[in-house]
Amino acid sequence: MTMKINVKLTVLVALVAILAGLLISLLSYSRVLSSSHDEADKTIRSLAATVYNTAAAAAYLNDEPLANDVISGLLKNAMVECADIISQQIKENSESQCNPKQMYSETLYSPFNASSKIGTLRLYKNEQFVHEKALEQVWAEITGIFLIVFIIAVCTLIITYVLVSHPISMLAHELETIDFTHEETGRLKAQTRKDELGLIKTIINRMLAKLDERLQHERNLTLQTEKLSSNFKMICELSTNALVVTDENLILQSVNPKFVELWQKNSGLSEVIYDDKWLERICFEVESIKQEILAHQTLNDSLTYEIEVKKPSEQDKEAQWYNLTFSKAENMFGEINIFLIISDITEQRQKLLMTEFEADHDMLTHLKNRRSTRRIIERIIDNSELSPEFAILLIDLDGFKGVNDTYGHDAGDRVLVEIAQRYRALTRKSDIVCRWGGDEFLIILTNVNRQEVEMIAEKLVNVTSVPIAIGDELSAQVGSSIGIATYPEAGKDFDRLFDHADHAMYQVKKQGKNDFAFYEWQN
């Protein structure tokens, strides 16, 4: 059980008082003992002076009975322990029984001659009596001191209980009952004390008021943090992008559901593995990107890379493309984290490729269009040192207008698509097959000689004339007139080459169609 402060203070005061009383008693005993010795010495001298004449007469007359009477009278005084008279005839000696240090002696002279020594009177002080007398006096003082100590201890106990211990106990009880779970904590009862305890209550109430403000501020911060956390979690979960947080070594720390979908789709694993190899499991050739991310030192600076994502199976022939945006930041613990956003740009990339395709291709036959073909030929001419010879074949379909007029434009479109496929099948990958417009096609044969051009042109004429199915038990047949211009003999720029190929094509039409002809330079 804890000792109360008033009891502690009382015990402390009592101990101090007792120690002080003991010290005072010791000092008092020494003082009283010294005083008793002085008083005893005076008494001995006074007794010696009283019996001096009688003792001198007994010594002068050598009267032993008288000497014995003197000594007996002296011993009746409690202050005298021993006494004797010594002369030539008288010797009353108790020296062997008494302490020589306590002896008082008086020389006896003749009553009739003051200069004639006749003996000695010796008195011995009763030291035990002196000590007993001094102790008796001191004990009375000690009793009084300890009575005072007892009274002081009781008063201290009562006063400290009333003024200190009980108020502190009440203050502790009030503090214990304060409820910190509510928005406002309790307060200590109003006080009227003007002492230190009253000041403590005032200070505690001020502290509680400040604590209320601090707690309310922290509650508001907590509420804001919870809202931010909830909103951030909602953003992460609803985000259409894969969100990733790693440490500075790219070891995976946390991900959102969209990343889990990406992981399961592209890694073939059901559970996310939180290590530094996660990027390799979902992407192609990311070592250089990883090195760039790890080497990047600037904080809060984002960079974006375009990456090709692995295909989960051989059946999936379409490549997937993602933008990987990363930024480094320092968290509240002084640690560097890397934040990554992986955005699916496959659809955008496909749209871009489709836009590029549409810009360079004919949408019906999927062959190169006029604009892209002209650009390619001009590039070939600019790099003619790499391709010293090529030929332009301008093809016009014979009888195509009749197919449109007889069977309709859908049938005409089927004819064009089929002819395009046949031409593409007859040419090499290095060659270019173009739908120039309407029923005209343009073919560029690269790195060929005249003999090779003739062989391909003949095959084109033959394959064009093969009937084409355009519906149930219906077919259409067209022919082809092909004009050929070779580089560099027929011209060194596109316009001249095209004009010469066109001229040769019309020569074929004049001569009966369904054939091919080279442009021949005429002086």
Side-chain angles (χ1 to χ4, degrees), residues 242 252 255-274 278 281-283 309-313 316 320 322 342:
L252 201 61
V255 299
N256 73 334
K258 198 65 179 180
F259 176 83
V260 176
E261 292 180 15
L262 176 64
W263 173 275
Q264 293 173 346
K265 179 180 179 182
N266 294 289
S267 70
L269 302 173
S270 59
E271 296 294 332
V272 176
I273 300 175
Y274 290 82
W278 59 274
R281 293 187 176 96
I282 62 173
C283 303
V309 176
K310 285 184 176 180
K311 297 182 286 291
S313 66
D316 188 358
Q320 292 175 297
Y322 284 79
I342 305 176

Side-chain angles (χ1 to χ4, degrees), residues 388-434:
E389 295 180 347
F390 67 87
I392 293 180
L393 286 70
L394 181 59
I395 305 170
D396 184 76
L397 298 183
D398 300 324
F400 179 76
K401 186 176 181 302
V403 174
N404 272 340
D405 293 342
T406 304
Y407 302 107
H409 289 284
D410 289 341
D413 289 344
R414 292 181 186 177
V415 169
L416 292 175
V417 171
E418 177 62 25
I419 293 298
Q421 291 175 354
R422 292 177 182 180
Y423 289 173
R424 196 154 40 204
L426 279 175
T427 54
R428 302 163 299 177
K429 289 185 178 180
S430 60
D431 300 328
I432 301 168
V433 181
C434 163

Side-chain angles (χ1 to χ4, degrees), residues 443-456:
I443 297 178
I444 297 94
L445 302 177
T446 61
N447 197 21
V448 291
N449 55 37
R450 186 181 181 94
Q451 184 178 0
E452 292 172 333
V453 174
E454 289 177 354
M455 291 176 57
I456 295 174

Side-chain angles (χ1 to χ4, degrees), residues 50-160:
T50 301
V51 301
Y52 180 83
N53 291 331
T54 305
Y60 180 79
L61 297 174
N62 293 316
D63 188 349
E64 290 186 9
L66 180 60
N68 288 335
D69 290 340
V70 172
I71 292 172
S72 297
L74 290 172
L75 292 178
K76 289 180 180 180
N77 194 310
M79 198 64 73
V80 179
E81 183 179 11
C82 301
D84 56 23
I85 298 174
I86 300 174
S87 67
Q88 293 179 351
Q89 300 294 327
I90 303 171
K91 189 175 182 180
E92 292 294 334
N93 187 6
S94 59
E95 184 179 356
S96 59
Q97 301 175 0
C98 299
N99 187 355
K101 294 181 179 180
Q102 303 300 327
M103 181 187 71
Y104 173 78
S105 64
E106 186 76 33
T107 302
L108 299 176
Y109 293 93
S110 172
F112 304 103
N113 186 357
S115 60
S116 175
K117 184 178 178 180
I118 58 175
T120 303
L121 172 64
R122 297 189 299 185
L123 286 80
Y124 294 87
K125 183 172 55 177
N126 190 343
E127 187 177 9
Q128 182 179 357
F129 176 76
V130 173
H131 280 277
E132 289 176 355
K133 185 178 179 181
L135 186 61
E136 181 180 353
Q137 184 177 349
V138 169
W139 182 254
E141 292 183 6
I142 291 174
T143 302
I145 290 173
F146 278 92
L147 180 60
I148 293 172
V149 168
F150 176 76
I151 294 172
I152 291 174
V154 172
C155 292
T156 302
L157 180 66
I158 295 172
I159 292 172
T160 54

Side-chain angles (χ1 to χ4, degrees), residues 314-351:
E314 292 299 326
Q315 287 75 20
D316 188 358
K317 299 298 182 181
E318 275 190 34
Q320 292 175 297
W321 294 89
Y322 284 79
N323 272 343
L324 188 149
T325 302
F326 78 91
S327 177
K328 290 186 176 181
E330 184 176 344
N331 63 20
M332 61 184 296
F333 304 106
E335 302 169 341
I336 301 300
N337 288 123
I338 304 175
F339 299 86
L340 300 101
I341 302 174
I342 305 176
S343 308
D344 188 352
I345 61 169
T346 302
E347 185 177 349
Q348 295 93 309
R349 188 177 179 86
Q350 288 174 344
K351 287 181 178 179

Side-chain angles (χ1 to χ4, degrees), residues 78-299:
M79 198 64 73
V80 179
E81 183 179 11
C82 301
D84 56 23
I85 298 174
I86 300 174
S87 67
Q88 293 179 351
Q89 300 294 327
I90 303 171
K91 189 175 182 180
E92 292 294 334
N93 187 6
S94 59
E95 184 179 356
S96 59
Q97 301 175 0
C98 299
N99 187 355
K101 294 181 179 180
Q102 303 300 327
M103 181 187 71
Y104 173 78
S105 64
E106 186 76 33
T107 302
L108 299 176
Y109 293 93
S110 172
F112 304 103
N113 186 357
S115 60
S116 175
K117 184 178 178 180
I118 58 175
T120 303
L121 172 64
R122 297 189 299 185
L123 286 80
Y124 294 87
K125 183 172 55 177
N126 190 343
E127 187 177 9
Q128 182 179 357
F129 176 76
V130 173
H131 280 277
E132 289 176 355
K133 185 178 179 181
L135 186 61
E136 181 180 353
Q137 184 177 349
V138 169
W139 182 254
E141 292 183 6
I142 291 174
T143 302
I145 290 173
F146 278 92
L147 180 60
I148 293 172
V149 168
F150 176 76
I151 294 172
I152 291 174
V154 172
C155 292
T156 302
L157 180 66
I158 295 172
I159 292 172
T160 54
Y161 175 78
V162 173
L163 297 180
V164 180
S165 183
H166 181 67
I168 290 177
S169 296
M170 297 300 294
L171 178 60
H173 177 70
E174 288 185 57
L175 289 172
E176 188 178 12
T177 57
I178 292 176
D179 187 1
F180 292 92
T181 60
H182 292 83
E183 290 190 1
E184 288 191 4
T185 59
R187 292 289 186 275
L188 300 181
K189 294 179 181 179
Q191 53 79 31
T192 57
R193 297 177 65 115
K194 302 300 182 182
D195 56 8
E196 290 82 355
L197 286 174
L199 178 61
I200 290 174
K201 270 193 173 185
T202 301
I203 293 174
I204 289 175
N205 279 331
R206 290 175 184 171
M207 291 175 63
L208 290 174
K210 292 180 179 179
L211 180 61
D212 280 342
E213 294 178 4
R214 183 64 177 268
L215 289 175
Q216 187 59 41
H217 180 65
E218 290 183 356
R219 290 188 188 101
N220 293 336
L221 286 178
T222 301
L223 182 61
Q224 292 177 8
T225 302
E226 289 176 353
K227 288 182 178 179
L228 287 174
S229 177
S230 177
N231 292 338
F232 182 74
K233 182 179 179 181
M234 182 174 60
I235 290 171
C236 290
E237 291 180 350
L238 298 179
S239 174
T240 57
N241 298 323
L243 306 180
V244 177
V245 180
T246 74
D247 66 6
E248 58 183 334
N249 296 316
L250 273 177
I251 296 177
L252 201 61
Q253 301 292 317
S254 58
V255 299
N256 73 334
K258 198 65 179 180
F259 176 83
V260 176
E261 292 180 15
L262 176 64
W263 173 275
Q264 293 173 346
K265 179 180 179 182
N266 294 289
S267 70
L269 302 173
S270 59
E271 296 294 332
V272 176
I273 300 175
Y274 290 82
D275 60 8
D276 60 345
K277 304 296 183 184
W278 59 274
L279 204 53
E280 288 91 327
R281 293 187 176 96
I282 62 173
C283 303
F284 281 123
E285 300 176 359
V286 294
E287 190 60 35
S288 61
I289 296 177
K290 287 182 64 175
Q291 294 303 322
E292 289 285 343
I293 295 174
L294 294 173
H296 190 73
Q297 298 299 322
T298 306
L299 298 182

